[in-house]
């Protein structure tokens, strides 16, 4: 699920808090140019959809759930992921990509959203955020 | 509801200082409110404030940053420059509106 991290980052920026986002593994699609506009939402593992979990694996359910999610997100005035990332960057937020994820997926900076400031290691991120409030989402 | 005195006027506010009565606001008061939080109002600020006032009048809900940016035609980056650090709250405060409730 892409939104919780983005909503929290946006809220922090709106409160004047310096904000850095580190995208790793399942979060990587959000900043990968070839994938970021085609993100899908699955009800699997998400009990908040109130659907039987067995439905999640059926053909077409992911597409339907994605469609519903997009409509509901738009109804509350929240942009889709690429536009949301732009708003976060425009608000002064910093985007970082995980070195290990990039290596595993054979991606480099040219494959990533232009506003990603760099591909850095987990240790780099920990160093960068020393003393900060860290959230893992 | 607390009452405070700004520019020799009694104004109804909430616990955080946001005005609670839409009609107690006027542009002169906005200048005073802006001064309280260190903002000098320019025409560009007024473009945003005017949009907030009109949008609230139409929807009875204080617009968030994204809605102001789209509606007033002011890029997000610029809103952060005009109303540093906490643009959504600062705009609402100066426009005499309740604190925005939305997450975005």
């Amino acid at each position: 699920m892409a939104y919780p991290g983005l909503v929290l980052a946006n809220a922090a920026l709106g409160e004047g808090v310096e904000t850095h986002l580190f995208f790793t593994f399942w979060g990587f699609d959000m900043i990968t140019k070839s994938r970021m506009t085609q993100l899908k939402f699955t009800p699997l593992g998400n009990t908040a959809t109130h659907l039987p979990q067995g439905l999640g694996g059926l053909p077409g359910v992911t597409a339907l759930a994605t469609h519903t999610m997009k409509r509901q997100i738009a109804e509350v005035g929240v942009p889709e992921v690429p536009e949301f990332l732009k708003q976060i960057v425009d608000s002064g937020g910093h985007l970082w990509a995980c070195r290990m994820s990039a290596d595993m997926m054979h991606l480099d900076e040219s494959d990533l959203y232009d506003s990603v400031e760099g591909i850095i290691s987990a240790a780099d991120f920990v160093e960068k955020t020393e003393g900060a409030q860290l959230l893992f989402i | 509801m607390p009452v405070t005195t700004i520019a020799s006027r009694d104004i109804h506010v909430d616990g955080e200082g946001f005005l609670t009565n839409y009609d107690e606001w006027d542009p002169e008061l906005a200048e005073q409110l802006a001064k309280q939080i260190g903002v000098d109002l320019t025409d560009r600020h007024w473009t945003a404030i005017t949009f907030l006032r009109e949008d609230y009048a139409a929807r009875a809900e204080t617009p968030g940053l994204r809605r102001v940016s789209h509606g007033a035609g002011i890029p997000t980056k610029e809103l952060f420059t005009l109303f540093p650090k906490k643009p959504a709250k600062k705009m609402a405060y100066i426009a005499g509106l309740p604190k925005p409730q939305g997450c975005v």
Side-chain angles (χ1 to χ4, degrees), chain B residues 22-39:
Chain B
Y22 184 88
D23 297 321
E24 286 180 353
W25 182 94
D26 63 24
E28 188 193 340
L29 185 69
E31 298 280 357
Q32 296 299 321
L33 292 168
K35 261 190 202 142
Q36 306 245 7
I37 55 171
V39 174

Side-chain angles (χ1 to χ4, degrees), chain A residues 5 9 47 57 61 68-69 76 81 84-85 94 97 104 111 117 130:
Chain A
T47 52
V61 172
T68 305
M69 166 65 73
V76 291
V81 170
F84 210 162
L85 285 174
H94 303 274
M104 284 171 65
D111 299 306
E117 293 179 37
E130 189 179 351

Side-chain angles (χ1 to χ4, degrees), chain A residues 14-16 77 83 90-91, chain B residues 66 76-77 80 85-86 89:
Chain A
E15 287 301 301
E83 192 189 335
D90 286 349
S91 302
Chain B
R66 180 171 180 251
T76 304
K77 263 186 202 172
F80 269 86
K85 298 276 186 192
K86 304 186 182 193
K89 281 185 182 169

Side-chain angles (χ1 to χ4, degrees), chain A residues 8 133-137:
Chain A
L8 278 169
Q133 181 182 7
L134 271 182
L135 296 173
F136 179 76
I137 299 171

Side-chain angles (χ1 to χ4, degrees), chain A residues 35-81:
Chain A
R35 297 185 184 273
M36 62 191 298
T37 57
Q38 291 138 37
L39 299 175
K40 301 283 189 291
F41 172 74
T42 173
L44 280 176
N46 187 342
T47 52
T49 58
H50 305 290
L51 293 170
Q53 284 296 292
L55 278 181
L58 298 177
V61 172
T62 295
L64 180 66
T66 301
H67 180 76
T68 305
M69 166 65 73
K70 286 192 174 187
R71 178 174 52 76
Q72 289 175 331
I73 284 282
E75 276 172 7
V76 291
V78 174
E80 292 203 15
V81 170

